[in-house]
C-alpha cells in the first residue's frame, strides 16, 4: 500500500529521513559524454552516475563509469569539476576490474528502515579493496547498478587475463588501457540509458489494484493524525552570495521544526547559469542553509534544484512548489496565467509503475512559496511609505494584487495565506533596510509569499526577516503544524486481512461490462492550436474492471495524433463511474495534412475491458484551414485569405512540388506570404523599441485573435493588439509551423558547413527556392531593423540567435532554442 510508516513512532521526524520519497524533476546533463572523450576508439563508456565516496579525508564527489575495453569490463572512478561537460572536466582516480571476487552490494540503512526515494549506499569490493559510495535515488542509478551486476554475475568469465599491473587488491592503479582520445567520440557510440523505471518492476494486477483501492477507502480506520512542524521559507537573493549566518531566518524559533522546505529565486543571474542550468552558487547557499539549521535536531537533507518537490511522509503526500513569476506591476494577468500553467503542466511520476501521473493539487498538502511578484495597485510611493511607517499593514494590504486576484477567484483557488503583519519585502537597497532610491524607485510590495492548501494544515507564524540585508528582497518564513496520517500497524493488518477475505469470497465468473453515456463525438469548427474537449461517462456494473483504449490492427497508437483521451486507462470499482475527456488539438505536426485535405478529423477509438469486450467510439469533426502549417510557396500563391479559398485549390497549392522559379502558374506569386508581412509590418511599426521582444510570451486569447485575422482577412492589416509580445509569439509559431523551414531540409548540412563563410553562406541561400530566399532576406532585414534600436529594446545578436544554433530536433530541422523561466521559443533558421 505504499506505506512509509515502519518508522518508530517516537523517533523525531528529522531522523526518519524527512527528505524521503523525493521525486523532483531535477535531471543532470549526461556526463557519460565527457568520460567517452577520454577513451580510445576501442573503448566505450556504457553508463555514468555521480556519487559520494567515503575517503579518509571525508566525503568526496566522484563519477562512477562502467567501461568496456578490449572485451574487459571495469568500474572507473573519476574526480571532476562540478559539471563534467568535456574531457578537461574529469580526471581518472582509480580503476577496478570486474572479474572473480568483484561485488556490488547495497548497504541497508540503520534499523533496516527503507524509505522510498532515499539515496542508495553501496559497498564495492574487489579482492582486498573496499569502497563505500552513496548514489542518488532514481532510475538512472538503478539502471547503472543493474548493468554492473549483470557483468559480475556468477558464471561470467573475463575475455582476457588480468592486467599485469593489477594490484593484489584487484585495483588497477595506472589504467594503461585507458588513454585520452584527441577527437570527440560521436554521440551515437554512447548507448542511451534504458527506460525509466521505479524501484519496483512487478506489474500491477487487477487484484493488487483492487486491494489498494479498498485500503484507500478504509484509510481512516488504520491511520491517525499526528502533527509535525514544517518550516517554509522563500528568499530572492538577487544573484548574491551568502554573507553571514542565515540563522535569524532559519532558526528563529525555540523549537526545531521537523521538516525544512526552503526555496530560492535569482540564485545566479549569470549567462552561464542560464545556459548550463548549473551554478556554483547553489552549493554556496546549500552550505549556508545547512550550517544555519536549528541546532536542536539533526536533519536528513534533500536538494532538488527544480521548481517542485513531492514526497510521501508516513501516509500523507506533500508537494512543495517554488515559483518565480513575471515581474512588473501591470503583469498580474500574466502571473495568474503562469500559476495556472504550472498547475496544469507539472506532473509527477509515482514510484509504482503503471500508476497515473500526479498533479500538484492531487496531494494532501501543497506548500507554495517564492517570489510571486504581485505588487500594490497604483499606489503613491509617499503614501505607501507613510502606511508602512505607521505599520498600518491592513490598509496597505487592501491594495495587494494577490489579495485582489484571490478574492476574485482568478488565481490560487483553494489556497490560503496567513495574515500579513510585516512590512513589504521588496525593494530595498542591497546591504541596508532603506527603500529603493535608484532611478527606477520601485514602490514597496509583498513580492515574497507563502501559501498552502490542505485540510490538516494550521499556520503558527508568518513573518519576514529584516536582519538579512544582502539582497534587494527580504526572506520570508512560515511555520506550520501539519497533520500527517500515521499508520497503526495492528489496525492496518486488520483492514488488509478483511479486504483479502472478502475478495477471496468473490467469484469472478461474470464478465465485466460498462455503460457509455455517449459513443459518437462531433468537433465543430476546429482551429489551429485551439483545444476542444468532449466528455463522456463510463459507468461500471457489479464487477470491478480495468479499462484501456487500445490501438487498432496495424496502428501504433490508440488514436490519431490530434486526439488524446484523459485518462486513457484506469480501474473502476463496482457500480462506480469515471468521466473521460477527449481532447482535440491541431498543432504543427498535423496541420499541413488537414489543410490539404489529405487527412480528415475522423477516427475510431477502441475501449477495451480486461477480461471483457471492446467498445467502439466514433470521432469526427471539421477543420478550418489555417495559414499556420502551410508551406511558404503555397502561401505566396494565395492572394486571398485561406478561409475564402476552395478546398480543391488549397490542396493543389499545398501538394505542388517546391519550385526554384515562378513558372508553375501564369500568375506571379507574392514575394513573401501576406500573413508574414502583416505580422512583421506591425512589429516594425510598433515594437522596435519593445523590451523583451521574443523573450516574453504572449497571451493565448490575443494569439487566437491574430490567427483568425490572418486566416479570414477580415482586416487588410492586423487590428489593434494589446501586446507586441503576442504578435511576436504568433510570428514564432507561424515559422515553427512551416512544414518546410525557411532554409530547406536538403540545405541543412551545407548551411552548417558554410556557417563561418559569408560568401559560401550566401551561395547556399541563393540555391533556395525563390520564395524561401525572399522570406530569408525579409526576416534578416527585420532582425537588422530591431538591432538598430538595441539601446531601447536591449536585443543583441546573441539574444536573437540563441545559445545553441546547431541543435537538431527530431526530423533533422535546424532550430535554435530561446527561452526563459516563463517560455521557450524556437527560430527555424
Amino acid at each position: 500500500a505504499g506505506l512509509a510508516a515502519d518508522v518508530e513512532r517516537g523517533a523525531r521526524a528529522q531522523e526518519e529521513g524527512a527528505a524521503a520519497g523525493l521525486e523532483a524533476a531535477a535531471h543532470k546533463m549526461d556526463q557519460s559524454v565527457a568520460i567517452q572523450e577520454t577513451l580510445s576508439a576501442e573503448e566505450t563508456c556504457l553508463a555514468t552516475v555521480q556519487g559520494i565516496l567515503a575517503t579518509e579525508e571525508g566525503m568526496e564527489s566522484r563519477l562512477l563509469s562502467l567501461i568496456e575495453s578490449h572485451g574487459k569490463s571495469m568500474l572507473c572512478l573519476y574526480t571532476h569539476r562540478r559539471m563534467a561537460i568535456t574531457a578537461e572536466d574529469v580526471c581518472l582516480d582509480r580503476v577496478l576490474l570486474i572479474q572473480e571476487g568483484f561485488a556490488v552490494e547495497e548497504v541497508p540503512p540503520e534499523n533496516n528502515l527503507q524509505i522510498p526515494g532515499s539515496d542508495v549506499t553501496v559497498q564495492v569490493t574487489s579482492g582486498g579493496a573496499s569502497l563505500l559510495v552513496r548514489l542518488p535515488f532514481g532510475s538512472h542509478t538503478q539502471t547503472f547498478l543493474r548493468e554492473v551486476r549483470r557483468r559480475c554475475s556468477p558464471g561470467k568469465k573475463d575475455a582476457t587475463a588480468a592486467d599485469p599491473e593489477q594490484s593484489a587488491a584487484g585495483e588497477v592503479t595506472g589504467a594503461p588501457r585507458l588513454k585520452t582520445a584527441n577527437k570527440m567520440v560521436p554521440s551515437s557510440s554512447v548507448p542511451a540509458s534504458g527506460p525509466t523505471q521505479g524501484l519496483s518492476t512487478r506489474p500491477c494486477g487487477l487484484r493488487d489494484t483492487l486491494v489498494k483501492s479498498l485500503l484507500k477507502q478504509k484509510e481512516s480506520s488504520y491511520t491517525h493524525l499526528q502533527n509535525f512542524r514544517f518550516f517554509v521559507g522563500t528568499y530572492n537573493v538577487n544573484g548574491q552570495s551568502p554573507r553571514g549566518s542565515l540563522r535569524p531566518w532559519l532558526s528563529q524559533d525555540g523549537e526545531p521544526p521537523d521538516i525544512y522546505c526552503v526555496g530560492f529565486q535569482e540564485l545566479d543571474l549569470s549567462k552561464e547559469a542560464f545556459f548550463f542550468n548549473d551554478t556554483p552558487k547553489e552549493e554556496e547557499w546549500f552550505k549556508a542553509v545547512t550550517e544555519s539549521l536549528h541546532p536542536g535536531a539533526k536533519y536528513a537533507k534533500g536538494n532538488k534544484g527544480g521548481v517542485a518537490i513531492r514526497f510521501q511522509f508516513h501516509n500523507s503526500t506533500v508537494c512543495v512548489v517554488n515559483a518565480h513569476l513575471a515581474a512588473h506591476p501591470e503583469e498580474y494577468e500574466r502571473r495568474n496565467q503562469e500559476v495556472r500553467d504550472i498547475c496544469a503542466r507539472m506532473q509527477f511520476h509515482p514510484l509504482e509503475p503503471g500508476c497515473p501521473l500526479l498533479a500538484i493539487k492531487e496531494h494532501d498538502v501543497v506548500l507554495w512559496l517564492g517570489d510571486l511578484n504581485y505588487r500594490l495597485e497604483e499606489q503613491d510611493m509617499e503614501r505607501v511609505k507613510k502606511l508602512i511607517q505607521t505599520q498600518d499593514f491592513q490598509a496597505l494590504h487592501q491594495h495587494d494584487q494577490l489579495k485582489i486576484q484571490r478574492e476574485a477567484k482568478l488565481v490560487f483557488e483553494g489556497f490560503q495565506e496567513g495574515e500579513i503583519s510585516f512590512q513589504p519585502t521588496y525593494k530595498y537597497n542591497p546591504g541596508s533596510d532603506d527603500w529603493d532610491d535608484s532611478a527606477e524607485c520601485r514602490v514597496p510590495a509583498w513580492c515574497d509569499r507563502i501559501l498552502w492548501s490542505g485540510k490538516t494544515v494550521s499556520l503558527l507564524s508568518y513573518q519576514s526577516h529584516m536582519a538579512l540585508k544582502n539582497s534587494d528582497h527580504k526572506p520570508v518564513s512560515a511555520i506550520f503544524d501539519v497533520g500527517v496520517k500515521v499508520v497503526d500497524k495492528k489496525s492496518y493488518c486488520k483492514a488488509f486481512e478483511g479486504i483479502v477475505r472478502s475478495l477471496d469470497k468473490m467469484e469472478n465468473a461474470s464478465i465485466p461490462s460498462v455503460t457509455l453515456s455517449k459513443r459518437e463525438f462531433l468537433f465543430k469548427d476546429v482551429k489551429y492550436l485551439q483545444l476542444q474537449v468532449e466528455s463522456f461517462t463510463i459507468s461500471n456494473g457489479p464487477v470491478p474492471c480495468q479499462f484501456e483504449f487500445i490501438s487498432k490492427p496495424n496502428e501504433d497508437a490508440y488514436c490519431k495524433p490530434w486526439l488524446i483521451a484523459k485518462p486513457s486507462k484506469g480501474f473502476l470499482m463496482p457500480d462506480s463511474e469515471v468521466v473521460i475527456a477527449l481532447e482535440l488539438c491541431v498543432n504543427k505536426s498535423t496541420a499541413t495534412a488537414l489543410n490539404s485535405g489529405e487527412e480528415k478529423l475522423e477516427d475510431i477509438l477502441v475501449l477495451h475491458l480486461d477480461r471483457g469486450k471492446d467498445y467502439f467510439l466514433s470521432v469526427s469533426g471539421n477543420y478550418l484551414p489555417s495559414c499556420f502549417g502551410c508551406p511558404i510557396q503555397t502561401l505566396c500563391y494565395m492572394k486571398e485569405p485561406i478561409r475564402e479559398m476552395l478546398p480543391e485549390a488549397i490542396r493543389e497549392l499545398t501538394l505542388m512540388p517546391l519550385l526554384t522559379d515562378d513558372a508553375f502558374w501564369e500568375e506571379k506569386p507574392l514575394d513573401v506570404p501576406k500573413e508574414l508581412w502583416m505580422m512583421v509590418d506591425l512589429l516594425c511599426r510598433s515594437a522596435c523599441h519593445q523590451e523583451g521582444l521574443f523573450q516574453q510570451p504572449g497571451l493565448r486569447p490575443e494569439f487566437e485573435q491574430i490567427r483568425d485575422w490572418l486566416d479570414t482577412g477580415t482586416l487588410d492589416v492586423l487590428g489593434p493588439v494589446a501586446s507586441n509580445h503576442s504578435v511576436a509569439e504568433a510570428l514564432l509559431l507561424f515559422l515553427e509551423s512551416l512544414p518546410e523551414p525557411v532554409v530547406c531540409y536538403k540545405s541543412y548540412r551545407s548551411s552548417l558547413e558554410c556557417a563561418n563563410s559569408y560568401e559560401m553562406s550566401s551561395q547556399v541561400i541563393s540555391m533556395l527556392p525563390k520564395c524561401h530566399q525572399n522570406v530569408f532576406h525579409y526576416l534578416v532585414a527585420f532582425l537588422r531593423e530591431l538591432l538598430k534600436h538595441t539601446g531601447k529594446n536591449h536585443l543583441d545578436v546573441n539574444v536573437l540567435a540563441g545559445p545553441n544554433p546547431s541543435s537538431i530536433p527530431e526530423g533533422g530541422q535546424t532550430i535554435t532554442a530561446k527561452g526563459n523561466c516563463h517560455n521557450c521559443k524556437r527560430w527555424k533558421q
Side-chain angles (χ1 to χ4, degrees):
L3 303 176
D6 293 329
V7 187
E8 293 181 10
R9 201 175 309 168
R12 289 206 57 81
Q14 297 90 339
E15 296 169 356
E16 298 165 349
L22 295 178
E23 297 171 13
H27 299 291
K28 291 293 184 182
M29 191 180 300
D30 183 10
Q31 299 180 94
S32 296
V33 176
I35 303 298
Q36 185 68 56
E37 284 191 54
T38 69
L39 306 179
S40 64
E42 296 81 16
E43 297 160 342
T44 303
C45 176
L46 301 175
T48 297
V49 66
Q50 183 173 339
I52 303 297
L53 174 67
T55 67
E56 294 181 356
E57 291 76 19
M59 307 299 286
E60 298 180 1
S61 180
R62 292 289 188 275
L63 292 180
L64 283 72
S65 295
L66 177 62
I67 294 174
E68 282 197 347
S69 173
H70 303 87
K72 299 171 69 174
S73 298
M74 58 190 71
L75 183 64
C76 300
L77 279 71
Y78 292 82
T79 59
H80 63 98
R81 294 180 182 173
R82 178 172 178 81
M83 174 55 67
I85 300 174
T86 67
E88 297 177 354
D89 298 327
V90 299
C91 181
L92 184 65
D93 178 39
R94 68 186 76 188
V95 178
L96 299 176
L97 284 176
I98 299 178
Q99 57 180 13
E100 187 176 355
F102 181 93
V104 176
E105 297 178 339
E106 290 191 26
V107 179
E110 295 182 10
N111 303 323
N112 288 320
L113 174 60
Q114 186 63 50
I115 302 175
S118 57
D119 292 344
V120 179
T121 301
V122 297
Q123 186 166 22
V124 182
T125 55
S126 180
S130 180
L131 304 177
L132 196 63
V133 185
R134 188 174 76 240
L135 302 177
F137 163 76
S139 58
H140 188 67
T141 292
Q142 296 298 321
T143 301
F144 178 84
L145 293 176
R146 185 166 57 250
E147 290 299 317
V148 172
R149 288 175 179 137
R150 188 165 66 85
R151 282 160 175 78
C152 62
S153 57
K156 184 179 187 304
K157 302 286 187 180
D158 243 330
T160 61
D163 196 294
E165 290 195 40
Q166 180 190 352
S167 66
E171 183 172 331
V172 182
T173 54
R177 295 187 183 276
L178 299 177
K179 55 181 179 292
T180 302
N182 293 324
K183 294 191 294 182
M184 174 70 176
V185 178
S187 59
S188 59
S189 67
V190 183
S193 299
T196 302
Q197 298 179 359
L199 293 177
S200 172
T201 58
R202 186 171 59 88
C204 189
L206 174 61
R207 185 180 178 89
D208 291 340
T209 304
L210 183 57
V211 169
K212 291 175 183 176
S213 298
L214 293 173
L215 279 171
K216 187 65 177 177
Q217 292 179 9
K218 295 178 177 292
E219 188 177 46
S220 60
S221 69
Y222 59 82
T223 62
H224 64 275
L225 288 181
Q226 180 178 337
N227 280 340
F228 291 88
R229 185 152 296 183
F230 280 56
F231 175 97
V232 181
T234 177
Y235 195 5
N236 182 322
V237 298
N238 193 30
Q240 303 297 313
S241 295
R243 295 196 295 268
S245 174
L246 302 180
R247 285 193 175 180
W249 172 36
L250 300 176
S251 304
Q252 87 283 4
D253 203 38
E255 182 178 349
D258 298 300
I259 292 180
Y260 275 95
C261 306
V262 181
F264 292 92
Q265 304 85 43
E266 296 187 4
L267 201 71
D268 192 337
L269 300 178
S270 67
K271 291 183 179 179
E272 292 79 10
F274 176 76
F275 290 159
F276 297 110
N277 194 28
D278 189 70
T279 168
K281 289 192 177 182
E282 179 182 340
E283 194 167 302
E284 294 176 11
W285 280 101
F286 187 70
K287 181 180 179 182
V289 169
T290 301
E291 293 174 349
S292 301
L293 298 179
H294 201 291
K298 296 180 180 179
Y299 294 91
K301 291 169 278 291
N303 178 26
K304 289 297 180 183
V307 296
I309 292 175
R310 61 97 54 190
F311 58 92
Q312 180 167 309
F313 190 39
H314 289 281
N315 229 43
S316 294
T317 55
V318 181
C319 181
V320 185
V321 183
N322 175 19
H324 188 188
L325 304 183
H328 306 303
E330 69 277 5
E331 296 289 356
Y332 62 89
E333 288 185 349
R334 190 175 305 281
R335 291 188 275 275
N336 294 350
Q337 180 174 310
E338 289 174 350
V339 172
R340 290 191 291 268
D341 287 345
I342 290 172
C343 291
R345 297 177 183 176
M346 180 166 292
Q347 295 179 317
F348 297 91
H349 290 273
L351 291 175
E352 296 187 15
C355 296
L357 299 176
L358 294 171
I360 288 176
K361 293 186 177 180
E362 295 177 311
H363 293 79
D364 298 318
V365 176
V366 180
L367 303 171
W368 196 302
L369 57 101
D371 179 0
L372 305 188
N373 253 323
Y374 286 93
R375 309 299 175 88
L376 296 176
E377 284 285 1
E378 301 177 0
Q379 292 300 298
D380 175 71
M381 171 71 85
E382 294 305 320
R383 181 175 180 274
V384 170
K385 289 183 177 179
K386 184 176 180 180
L387 289 173
I388 295 173
Q389 189 173 5
T390 59
Q391 296 191 354
D392 193 355
F393 302 133
Q394 186 174 1
L396 192 60
H397 191 223
Q398 300 305 312
H399 304 281
D400 176 65
Q401 288 181 340
L402 181 55
K403 174 181 171 64
I404 295 170
Q405 297 299 302
R406 286 185 59 230
E407 289 179 347
K409 297 187 177 180
L410 296 176
V411 71
F412 284 116
E413 193 168 358
F415 281 81
Q416 301 181 60
E417 185 182 18
E419 179 181 350
I420 293 183
S421 58
F422 50 88
Q423 69 184 49
T425 59
Y426 176 84
K427 179 181 184 181
Y428 297 86
N429 292 327
S432 73
D433 292 333
D434 300 328
W435 297 112
D436 176 31
D437 57 9
S438 66
E440 297 174 337
C441 197
R442 302 289 191 192
V443 176
W446 286 289
C447 291
D448 309 278
R449 311 290 275 270
I450 298 173
L451 299 92
W452 79 90
S453 69
K455 298 178 180 179
T456 62
V457 181
S458 59
L459 179 67
L460 301 181
S461 70
Y462 189 26
Q463 59 185 309
S464 67
H465 301 270
M466 301 294 293
L468 275 69
K469 307 177 189 295
N470 54 330
S471 172
D472 55 357
H473 290 249
K474 297 297 183 183
V476 173
S477 70
I479 295 180
F480 300 95
D481 266 347
V482 179
V484 175
K485 294 177 286 189
V486 178
V487 174
D488 179 80
K489 290 184 179 180
K490 290 184 179 179
S491 300
Y492 169 75
C493 291
K494 182 179 179 181
F496 179 81
E497 291 170 359
I499 291 171
V500 171
R501 281 196 299 268
S502 64
L503 289 179
D504 288 340
K505 295 178 182 178
M506 290 179 61
E507 292 290 336
N508 284 328
S510 59
I511 298 175
S513 64
V514 299
T515 302
L516 308 184
S517 63
K518 191 177 180 181
R519 297 197 188 190
E520 296 183 356
F521 303 89
L522 177 62
F523 293 86
K524 296 181 179 179
D525 297 337
V526 177
K527 299 179 181 179
Y528 183 79
L529 283 187
Q530 189 170 57
L531 178 68
Q532 287 197 25
V533 182
E534 292 283 341
S535 300
F536 70 98
T537 302
I538 304 177
S539 301
N540 191 26
V543 179
C545 74
Q546 286 180 308
F547 68 89
E548 181 179 6
F549 288 96
I550 61 173
S551 58
K552 299 177 284 294
N554 302 320
E555 293 188 8
D556 296 329
Y558 70 84
C559 65
K560 295 291 181 64
W562 38 262
L563 185 67
I564 189 172
K566 292 184 176 180
S568 62
K569 59 183 177 180
F571 172 77
L572 281 171
M573 296 288 289
D575 302 318
S576 64
E577 59 184 31
V578 64
V579 176
I580 305 295
L582 298 180
E583 297 183 355
L584 189 152
C585 184
V586 176
N587 56 26
K588 63 179 181 179
S589 65
T590 54
T592 304
L594 290 170
N595 279 333
S596 67
E598 294 175 281
E599 291 288 339
K600 302 289 186 183
L601 291 181
E602 297 175 353
D603 200 4
I604 299 293
L605 301 184
V606 182
L607 179 64
H608 173 72
L609 300 186
D610 186 27
R611 300 175 297 108
K613 66 177 186 177
D614 295 337
Y615 297 80
F616 299 90
L617 290 76
S618 172
V619 178
S620 61
N622 68 297
Y623 179 65
L624 300 179
S626 175
C627 62
F628 290 83
C630 280
I632 292 176
Q633 179 176 260
T634 300
L635 294 173
C636 287
Y637 277 101
M638 286 185 181
K639 303 296 181 64
E640 302 173 355
I642 191 170
R643 296 267 187 89
E644 295 183 8
M645 299 191 64
L646 296 175
E648 296 78 11
I650 298 175
R651 178 182 177 87
E652 183 178 1
L653 289 175
T654 303
L655 298 181
M656 71 178 181
L658 195 57
L659 306 174
T660 56
D661 54 42
D662 301 332
F664 182 72
W665 278 13
E666 295 181 0
E667 186 175 4
K668 186 179 183 300
L670 300 171
D671 290 331
V672 298
K674 58 186 179 302
E675 295 84 0
L676 176 63
W677 173 84
M678 292 168 71
M679 290 185 285
V680 172
D681 179 65
L682 180 59
L683 291 173
C684 281
R685 286 188 285 108
S686 63
C688 283
H689 297 169
Q690 178 70 59
E691 187 175 350
L693 199 66
F694 298 116
Q695 300 172 79
Q696 184 169 320
L699 297 175
R700 175 163 291 277
E702 293 179 0
F703 163 73
E704 293 175 352
Q705 189 179 17
I706 295 168
R707 176 203 59 210
D708 291 344
W709 279 335
L710 296 174
D711 291 341
T712 60
T714 51
L715 295 174
D716 292 335
V717 295
L718 290 178
V721 175
S723 169
N724 291 325
H725 299 297
S726 296
V727 181
E729 177 152 8
L731 174 59
L732 291 175
L733 290 172
F734 175 83
L735 295 173
E736 188 179 44
S737 71
L738 294 174
E740 185 78 32
V742 178
V743 176
C744 303
Y745 291 123
K746 66 179 182 180
S747 302
Y748 167 70
R749 185 64 60 188
S750 56
S751 67
L752 285 184
E753 294 172 351
C754 303
N756 295 323
S757 169
Y758 177 82
E759 291 76 12
M760 296 181 67
S761 296
S762 299
Q763 185 176 358
V764 172
I765 298 303
S766 68
M767 300 297 292
L768 296 176
K770 185 64 176 177
C771 56
H772 285 248
Q773 289 184 46
N774 293 342
V775 170
F776 178 87
H777 291 302
Y778 187 58
L779 289 174
V780 170
F782 167 54
L783 296 179
R784 285 175 175 165
E785 183 66 24
L786 291 179
L787 291 175
K788 291 179 183 179
H789 306 277
T790 186
K792 293 186 177 181
N793 59 32
H794 302 301
L795 295 174
D796 57 32
V797 174
N798 292 327
V799 170
L800 290 176
N804 187 10
S806 61
S807 58
I808 308 174
E810 66 275 2
Q813 273 181 299
T814 306
I815 290 178
T816 295
K818 179 66 192 171
N820 54 26
C821 62
H822 309 296
N823 200 16
C824 180
K825 292 290 165 277
R826 295 175 179 172
W827 276 102
K828 284 188 171 62
Q829 300 301 302

